[in-house]
Amino acid sequence: MQKKIIFFSSQSSDDKNFKIIIPHLKSKYKIRNIDTNKYLKIKNLYNYRKNKKKYLLKKYAQIISKSSLVITGSSNHNYEKYIWLISKRFNIKTLCLVDSWVNLDLRFNKKNFTNFVTFPNNKIKFRGLKELKKKSKIFYLGQPYLEKISKINFSTKNQNILFLSSRQNHGKDLKILCKISKIYPKHKIILKIHQKDKGRNWLKKLKQKKIKNISINTKSLNDLLPISKYVFGIYTMGLLASIIAKKITFVDLSYKNKNEYLYYLLEKYGYKIGKNIPSEENIVKYKIKKFISYGIYKNSTKKITKLIDDICNSDRN
């Protein structure tokens, strides 16, 4: 009988990684993918909001209890943490795939841990790391989505500018967007909305301004990179993906994030902007920086797949 693996995610970034990993497992295991769309359908339900743990236990206890491994992403809220607790209740092994270096203190807490955790590399810093190392087995195996991006040719003759909203700095997003729309009146500016930015007040204000050269787009980053030459943004993993996709990337970094590895990568391979944004004449002088920090994604899909095999076919816990 095939062993069962269940994937749980509550954000699109984890969906992307899972969609890459799952095809490598389908021939060996029975897979169930409870993706972000399923989470979005329950997150505002009264019964879920009233008692999240009780709701998830009732909804997923049966399928979790019959699985060999539960795999989740990580997020700032408690959805995945409750899935870990339910899995632990049935003595089911858990693996958390962390796709980034940001907000790690919110992704983990002192009460809930998984048996196994993977990070893109060992450049992780957060207050709970010491405790996590005591409770979980940690692996540094890279990030599959970044690996996939690195293998795609996104070159284009279009001069479009892609702006990635940041979620965290939405007031600043609006300010920078308005500024670059004036500096680059001849360029088409495509605003890609962060998954959790769609209801923001700043977006309503932008629509009221009716800026002619800005269009709002909800397509995936993979769809927008092939039609964009330049990428602007503040602080998001999408900017790192843009750099790996060989796009000339401009970032407005906040000093409060200076200790995070993502900050280091964006500073090293992107072009920092603040008050000074390149003029329309000068932007053509900027060149793509060679990316050599490929350890964050090299062979990551193969490594993670092997770890999953090892967990499912051993007594490790």
Side-chain angles (χ1 to χ4, degrees):
M1 180 181 291
Q2 279 188 314
K3 293 182 178 180
K4 298 176 183 177
I5 299 175
I6 309 175
F7 288 81
F8 286 92
S9 58
S10 65
Q11 51 189 15
S12 60
S13 57
D14 292 322
D15 284 341
K16 291 174 184 176
N17 284 310
F18 292 173
K19 286 178 182 178
I20 295 168
I21 294 167
I22 286 173
H24 296 268
L25 300 168
K26 276 189 170 181
S27 63
K28 303 176 184 178
Y29 307 99
K30 187 174 181 180
I31 304 294
R32 178 139 183 200
N33 186 19
I34 300 172
D35 62 14
T36 301
N37 289 328
K38 294 182 178 67
Y39 165 72
L40 294 175
K41 287 179 181 178
I42 68 169
K43 71 173 230 177
N44 291 319
L45 295 178
Y46 173 78
N47 285 341
Y48 176 71
R49 298 180 72 174
K50 182 180 178 181
N51 191 324
K52 294 176 182 177
K53 183 181 177 182
K54 182 179 178 180
Y55 181 92
L56 293 173
L57 179 62
K58 183 177 179 181
K59 187 173 182 65
Y60 294 127
Q62 186 174 3
I63 61 170
I64 287 176
S65 65
K66 294 180 180 180
S67 66
S68 298
L69 176 64
V70 169
I71 300 176
T72 74
S74 61
S75 65
N76 296 356
H77 49 78
N78 288 323
Y79 177 73
E80 290 87 357
K81 297 177 184 69
Y82 287 132
I83 295 298
W84 302 343
L85 278 176
I86 295 166
S87 302
K88 187 175 182 180
R89 176 172 178 167
F90 294 105
N91 199 29
I92 303 301
K93 298 173 187 176
T94 49
L95 167 63
C96 176
L97 306 181
V98 183
D99 71 328
S100 180
W101 301 266
V102 303
N103 298 323
L104 295 179
D105 278 308
L106 299 175
R107 296 176 191 239
F108 299 95
N109 60 37
K110 293 182 178 181
K111 296 180 180 179
N112 302 337
F113 298 93
T114 53
N115 299 101
F116 309 94
V117 184
T118 73
F119 291 99
N121 66 2
N122 63 355
K123 306 295 184 180
I124 51 172
K125 297 178 181 179
F126 67 105
R127 292 187 297 273
L129 180 58
K130 186 176 181 180
E131 189 68 21
L132 180 65
K133 287 181 175 180
K134 293 178 182 177
K135 303 289 185 178
S136 306
K137 293 181 180 178
I138 298 177
F139 301 84
Y140 307 107
L141 304 180
Q143 211 252 54
Y145 177 67
L146 296 181
E147 179 184 22
K148 179 180 178 179
I149 287 288
S150 72
K151 296 177 180 179
I152 300 174
N153 181 2
F154 290 104
S155 60
T156 180
K157 292 182 180 180
N158 289 324
Q159 298 295 306
N160 297 335
I161 293 172
L162 176 61
F163 187 94
L164 305 181
S165 73
S166 64
R167 179 191 172 200
Q168 303 171 42
N169 301 290
H170 42 274
K172 206 170 185 181
D173 283 326
L174 178 60
K175 185 177 180 181
I176 295 175
L177 263 171
C178 292
K179 194 171 183 178
I180 65 175
S181 71
K182 293 177 181 178
I183 295 174
Y184 310 114
K186 297 177 183 179
H187 288 72
K188 180 180 178 181
I189 300 170
I190 304 167
L191 167 59
K192 183 190 181 308
I193 303 297
H194 189 283
Q195 176 189 351
K196 298 179 181 178
D197 248 347
K198 295 178 182 178
R200 304 292 189 190
N201 287 331
W202 75 268
L203 191 55
K204 296 175 184 176
K205 292 178 182 178
L206 177 67
K207 290 176 180 178
Q208 291 170 359
K209 291 179 180 291
K210 297 180 180 178
I211 301 172
K212 291 183 179 180
N213 63 332
I214 294 180
S215 63
I216 299 172
N217 203 305
T218 56
K219 288 185 177 180
S220 71
L221 185 60
N222 282 31
D223 291 327
L224 298 177
L225 286 173
I227 59 171
S228 308
K229 182 172 183 178
Y230 307 102
V231 180
F232 281 75
I234 298 175
Y235 195 70
T236 173
M237 280 291 289
L239 291 168
L240 177 58
S242 301
I243 289 169
I244 293 171
K246 298 182 174 62
K247 298 298 173 181
I248 300 168
T249 304
F250 298 91
V251 295
D252 189 329
L253 296 174
S254 172
Y255 190 72
K256 70 178 183 179
N257 303 117
K258 68 181 181 67
N259 291 325
E260 294 178 340
Y261 193 66
L262 179 59
Y263 183 102
Y264 163 79
L265 291 172
L266 295 180
E267 183 180 45
K268 181 177 177 68
Y269 297 109
Y271 291 99
K272 286 178 69 175
I273 57 169
K275 294 181 179 179
N276 299 317
I277 295 175
S279 66
E280 194 162 35
E281 294 77 20
N282 287 334
I283 196 171
V284 296
K285 299 177 183 178
Y286 285 79
K287 304 298 180 184
I288 298 166
K289 294 183 180 181
K290 185 178 180 181
F291 190 85
I292 59 172
S293 301
Y294 42 79
I296 62 173
Y297 62 74
K298 188 176 181 181
N299 297 324
S300 58
T301 305
K302 183 178 180 180
K303 292 174 184 175
I304 292 172
T305 302
K306 184 180 183 304
L307 175 62
I308 293 170
D309 279 334
D310 288 345
I311 295 170
C312 287
N313 296 295
S314 73
D315 295 327
R316 299 168 79 170
N317 54 46

